[in-house]
């Protein structure tokens, strides 16, 4: 499908979705958010795709929600349309792993979209921030909630109250990103991670996502029970037999998602 504000290509079982509004540093307008949601839905439904990578340009992953578009909106506009709820629900429903590959600015809604992904690989030039306070609003897609879970209250308050940007090194130290690589290597690194995931059983990958995401919602004892039960359920799969047999026979596992 042809899109106006994003590019999508599938390479070796990985859907690479690239935000593409260079004139506005990939600001998230309604068209882009609808197209991103559609692309995620399509990638999740495509049997050839086993993992998704979301990226922007070298200068900007996304510099936030489109301020020009938002500036004219009233309370009734944003409340009645439940502005930005749909994209959050879409990320929540995607069962395939999604990696954010972030270079340059990931601000406001840009930082929040990156946090909706399953993990973030950053280039050395990445800058994360929740500067909505400078616009007389606050974060609205997870900047006060997900960021706090990632980096803790103190740093989240600092970011949300001062609007300052956090560089890649600080973001890695704080646990917001999983790896930092030179900008030129970002896509290769993210695609490499995605290929590794694509080699696994998709059943295990989906189960990992469910289990890790439950850890954000459940008390520890309930989360441990959930994890154990999912682990037990994996013994009903052919991929568990194959994975363990392959180890014992000292060969590569051939997973069949069964
Ligand atoms: C619309 C934007 C934009 C945005 C940049 N642009 N960010 N347009 N919405 N969020 C546009 C600029 O207007 C400009 O267009 C072009 O992109 C290049 O930006 P410059 O400012 O000229 O670039 P630079 O000087 O390099 O500064 C980069 C920047 C700055 C530091 C990222 O653009 C900036 O502060 N942007 C806003 C960041 C922000 O506040 N994000 C949060 C948005 S609110 P022209 O046409 O002039 O060339 C948000 C709320 C989410 O995300 C809540 C969800 C519910």
């Amino acid at each position: 499908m042809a899109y106006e504000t994003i590019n999508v290509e599938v390479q070796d079982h990985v859907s690479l979705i690239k935000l593409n509004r260079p004139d506005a540093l990939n600001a998230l307008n309604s068209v882009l958010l609808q197209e991103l949601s559609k692309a995620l839905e399509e990638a999740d439904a495509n049997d050839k795709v086993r993992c998704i990578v979301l990226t922007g340009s070298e200068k900007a992953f996304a510099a936030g929600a489109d301020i020009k578009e938002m500036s004219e909106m009233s309370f009734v506009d944003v409340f009645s349309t439940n502005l930005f709820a749909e994209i959050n629900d879409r990320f929540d429903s995607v069962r395939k792993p999604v990696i954010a590959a972030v270079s340059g600015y990931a601000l406001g809604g840009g930082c929040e979209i990156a946090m909706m992904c399953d993990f973030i690989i950053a280039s050395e030039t990445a800058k994360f921030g929740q500067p909505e306070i400078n616009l007389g609003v606050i974060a609205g897609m997870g900047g006060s909630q997900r960021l706090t879970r990632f980096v803790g209250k103190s740093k989240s308050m600092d970011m949300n109250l001062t609007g300052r940007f956090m560089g890649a090194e600080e973001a890695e130290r704080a646990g917001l990103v999983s790896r930092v690589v030179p900008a030129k290597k970002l896509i290769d690194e993210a695609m490499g991670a995605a290929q590794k995931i694509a080699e696994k059983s998709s059943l295990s990958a989906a189960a990992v996502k469910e289990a890790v995401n439950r850890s954000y919602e459940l008390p520890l004892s309930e989360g441990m029970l959930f994890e154990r039960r999912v682990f037990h359920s994996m013994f009903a799969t052919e991929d568990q037999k194959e994975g363990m047999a392959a180890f014992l026979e000292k060969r590569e596992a051939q997973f069949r998602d069964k």
Side-chain angles (χ1 to χ4, degrees):
M1 172 161 177
Y3 294 107
E4 206 183 300
T5 61
I6 61 175
N7 296 326
V8 183
E9 53 184 278
V10 177
Q11 296 172 18
D12 297 333
H13 302 296
V14 180
S15 176
L16 176 63
I17 303 175
K18 190 167 186 288
L19 307 180
N20 187 31
R21 289 189 72 212
D23 295 345
L25 302 183
N26 294 332
L28 309 163
N29 66 3
S30 45
V31 175
L32 186 148
L33 288 170
Q34 277 163 18
E35 292 189 342
L36 175 58
S37 178
K38 186 84 195 134
L40 288 168
E41 186 184 14
E42 284 181 354
D44 211 30
N46 183 343
D47 289 343
K48 295 197 183 78
V49 172
R50 301 177 68 79
C51 193
I52 300 164
V53 172
L54 177 63
T55 195
S57 67
E58 202 166 320
K59 178 154 186 201
F61 177 76
D66 191 303
I67 299 167
K68 204 166 168 192
E69 202 177 71
M70 280 188 299
S71 64
E72 303 296 326
M73 293 177 181
S74 67
F75 167 76
V76 171
D77 292 333
V78 298
F79 181 74
S80 59
T81 59
N82 213 2
L83 190 68
F84 301 131
E86 206 251 322
I87 191 70
N88 185 67
D89 295 347
R90 172 67 60 205
F91 273 94
D92 280 352
S93 71
V94 170
R95 300 196 72 198
K96 292 174 186 169
V98 187
I99 303 172
V102 174
S103 186
Y105 297 111
L107 305 177
C111 185
E112 292 165 314
I113 293 274
M115 291 190 289
M116 288 177 202
C117 298
D118 294 312
F119 63 98
I120 304 173
I121 300 180
S123 90
E124 288 164 348
T125 64
K127 290 176 203 65
F128 299 89
Q130 299 293 157
E132 289 92 338
I133 197 163
N134 297 332
L135 303 169
V137 292
I138 73 164
M141 283 197 283
S144 71
Q145 302 301 303
R146 286 201 173 94
L147 185 66
T148 307
R149 285 165 163 82
F150 275 110
V151 305
K153 178 183 168 185
S154 190
K155 209 175 268 290
S156 176
M157 282 284 193
D158 179 0
M159 306 287 297
N160 278 285
L161 284 170
T162 68
R164 79 173 174 89
F165 301 164
M166 171 157 68
E169 199 186 304
E170 184 183 359
E172 186 181 28
R173 214 167 49 233
L176 177 58
V177 312
S178 69
R179 327 178 184 178
V180 179
V181 296
K184 296 282 176 239
K185 297 201 172 142
L186 178 66
I187 297 300
D188 284 351
E189 185 80 13
M191 291 300 276
Q195 306 287 3
K196 270 225 167 324
I197 293 167
E199 290 165 12
K200 320 291 183 205
S201 165
S202 65
L203 302 176
S204 307
V208 165
K209 271 191 74 152
E210 288 188 4
V212 174
N213 284 331
R214 294 317 286 166
S215 76
Y216 275 94
E217 311 288 344
L218 296 173
L220 184 61
S221 59
E222 292 298 318
M224 292 297 287
L225 178 61
F226 181 85
E227 179 191 273
R228 198 179 315 125
R229 290 294 177 242
V230 175
F231 169 75
H232 292 162
S233 72
M234 306 305 290
F235 284 73
T237 68
E238 289 176 19
D239 284 345
Q240 175 266 331
K241 308 284 175 261
E242 166 62 10
M244 294 190 182
F247 176 82
L248 294 174
E249 292 160 18
K250 300 188 190 302
R251 61 173 173 83
E252 288 286 311
Q254 302 294 320
F255 293 119
R256 296 171 55 229
D257 305 333
K258 287 186 180 222

